[in-house]
Amino acid sequence: MTSQIFPSDVQQSLDLVGIFVFALSGGLLAVRKNMDIFGICVLAEVTALGGGVMRDLVIGATPVAAFTNLGYFVTPLVAALVVFFLHPEVERINRAVQTLDALGLGLFCVTGTAKAHDFGLGAVAAVALGMVTAAGGGVMRDVLAGEIPSLLRWDREIYAVPALVGAALVAVLIALDGLTAATGTAAALTAFGLRMLALKYGWRAPRAWRRNGSRTSEE
């Protein structure tokens, strides 16, 4: 299978690390919104697993992996408890959390695209689902928290674009029959690097232009 890019034990470990970090970001937002322990757990689960669940439902991979692998379901709950008891400390290492989040973004856009291809989707649809796998949970988190999804906001650094680039690279590699552990890692690191550069330099997606050539004013 194309989606089995890495050895199964390595893949499992990488998935759990990515899920844990995504769950931390969901839990932290819940704390900022003054939610209780249940809300923290819900946002942690949704952020960590939402993108993969959406992908699996679209491609018909049911029951979805999030509910057939106990580790996938329990890991966000562990992250939620960490945030519940230690959220000030987690906030203080936010830069490290963002770095690990960018790594998770790179990993999941690669594996999500490959899995979509395995289920018969074409390149464009597989790339779209690769992005959904990586960023969909964050969208669901923001909606549940009553916010405009961060990847749709101009005042936030680009998030979906790095995932799209990584997913597109995977689609090209699949078409060229060149997707291996090494090239898959390179695609993931490309997405990771773009996200980190966006954080460092404040890269944002362009907004609409007025007829006179100036950008629309900030709200």
Side-chain angles (χ1 to χ4, degrees):
M1 293 178 65
T2 303
S3 57
Q4 193 62 49
I5 302 172
F6 307 105
S8 58
D9 55 339
V10 174
Q11 180 78 56
Q12 174 88 352
S13 298
L14 292 173
D15 283 348
L16 291 177
V17 171
I19 286 170
F20 183 82
V21 176
F22 278 15
L24 286 180
S25 70
L28 286 173
L29 180 57
V31 170
R32 296 184 197 117
K33 291 291 185 176
N34 202 30
M35 295 184 184
D36 60 15
I37 181 62
F38 183 75
I40 294 171
C41 289
V42 168
L43 256 63
E45 288 280 359
V46 166
T47 309
L49 304 177
V53 168
M54 285 193 287
R55 176 204 62 214
D56 287 352
L57 290 175
V58 170
I59 64 179
T62 55
V64 298
F67 297 105
T68 57
N69 187 317
L70 185 61
Y72 288 174
F73 191 81
V74 171
T75 298
L77 298 178
V78 175
L81 289 175
V82 170
V83 171
F84 182 77
F85 289 107
L86 300 172
H87 61 90
E89 288 77 8
V90 177
E91 288 278 15
R92 281 198 289 270
I93 60 169
N94 186 54
R95 184 64 179 180
V97 172
Q98 286 185 324
T99 300
L100 291 172
D101 182 89
L103 282 170
L105 180 81
L107 170 67
F108 292 139
C109 73
V110 168
T111 57
T113 304
K115 185 169 184 178
H117 173 267
D118 279 347
F119 277 77
L121 271 67
V124 174
V127 168
L129 283 181
M131 183 196 68
V132 167
T133 305
V139 172
M140 296 173 68
R141 171 201 65 206
D142 292 343
V143 170
L144 287 175
E147 294 194 346
I148 298 173
S150 57
L151 63 81
L152 301 180
R153 292 175 55 177
W154 179 83
D155 61 344
R156 300 291 176 87
E157 295 83 1
I158 55 173
Y159 193 86
V161 172
L164 276 173
V165 171
L169 287 175
V170 173
V172 171
L173 289 168
I174 291 173
L176 298 175
D177 197 25
L179 183 60
T180 64
T183 58
T185 299
L189 289 176
T190 299
F192 166 74
L194 285 173
R195 173 59 179 163
M196 293 306 297
L197 288 171
L199 287 171
K200 181 176 181 180
Y201 296 108
W203 291 350
R204 300 170 181 174
R207 294 179 296 164
W209 289 75
R210 294 185 184 276
R211 288 188 175 181
N212 62 9
S214 63
R215 294 188 186 278
T216 55
S217 60
E218 283 190 61
E219 297 296 331

